[in-house]
Amino acid sequence: MNMEALDLGEDRSLLLVDDDEAFLRRLAKAMEKRGFEVEMAGSVAAGQAIATARPPAYAVVDLRLEDGNGLDVVESLRARRPESRIVVLTGYGAIATAVAAVKIGATDYLAKPADATDVTNALLAQPNTLPPPPENPMSADRVRWEHIQRVYELCDRNVSETARRLSMHRRTLQRILAKRSPR
């Protein structure tokens, strides 16, 4: 992608909200190289404060933050600047959450790990068009593993309860949990 060719418009302000500080800094640096004027927030509270005081033209908001739900930041931003383009990021690719994010006003929804190119494509996609597919989407094995991990966490790391909810034998689940994540 030619970095000079990006048409960001008059207002190039971009709010990044994520509690993973290393990811936040990497994404901020990459987005600045693409011409965005980046402001960072590490929490729902900080994101809402910026969205209210200086609503940006663009925003990338992580769904699950330590102090709450990123959709609260999306709602605040939508209320202050309805035309802003917002991408919601999450490590938990749940369809129900994607629907909620879009209903509230997110422009797009990306599963982590998303790189700066994926984010830029989603932010700049024309309305009613789909951005190009990601260069390196998660494998089916990785998606399955992520789902199992999510259910395991939601069951407070109770193997028996997780196995029951996934309709899976407990020993099979234990073997899966003992392995490292697939690529």
Side-chain angles (χ1 to χ4, degrees):
M1 172 179 270
N2 183 354
M3 307 264 180
E4 319 316 319
L6 292 180
D7 180 19
L8 304 178
E10 291 286 308
D11 186 350
R12 300 188 324 262
S13 58
L14 168 66
L15 171 61
L16 299 178
V17 184
D18 200 310
D19 53 8
D20 178 346
E21 198 172 322
F23 173 77
L24 187 62
R25 288 186 193 286
R26 264 194 327 273
L27 185 59
K29 190 175 277 187
M31 298 309 276
E32 283 172 349
K33 285 181 181 172
R34 285 167 166 76
F36 288 95
E37 294 167 1
V38 178
E39 215 170 335
M40 296 183 291
S43 66
V44 171
Q48 284 182 310
I50 293 168
T52 303
R54 298 176 299 285
Y58 302 95
V60 178
V61 181
D62 189 17
L63 198 61
R64 292 179 60 142
L65 297 159
E66 283 181 24
D67 67 334
N69 192 324
L71 293 182
D72 295 340
V73 178
V74 174
E75 282 183 318
S76 295
L77 184 52
R78 260 303 154 239
R80 299 282 298 166
R81 191 165 184 177
E83 79 283 2
S84 64
R85 302 195 48 87
I86 306 167
V87 171
V88 172
L89 288 181
T90 183
Y92 306 92
I95 292 172
T97 315
V99 171
V102 172
K103 276 185 179 174
I104 284 176
T107 308
D108 204 349
Y109 181 94
L110 295 174
K112 282 183 175 178
D115 65 13
T117 302
D118 296 334
V119 171
T120 304
N121 288 341
L123 284 173
L124 300 179
Q126 293 303 309
N128 302 322
T129 62
L130 295 172
E135 288 295 321
N136 53 351
M138 275 196 273
S139 69
D141 288 339
R142 176 64 189 218
V143 172
R144 177 178 180 256
W145 187 86
E146 290 280 346
H147 176 67
I148 289 170
Q149 291 295 320
R150 177 166 162 46
V151 174
Y152 181 55
E153 289 298 324
L154 291 171
C155 292
D156 294 323
R157 297 177 173 234
N158 180 323
V159 175
S160 297
E161 179 63 14
T162 304
R164 186 185 69 73
R165 289 182 183 228
L166 291 172
S167 301
M168 173 183 281
H169 195 281
R170 190 176 56 76
R171 282 204 188 125
T172 303
L173 177 60
Q174 283 177 309
R175 279 195 292 277
I176 292 168
L177 292 172
K179 293 180 185 173
R180 294 208 294 163
S181 68
R183 294 265 170 227

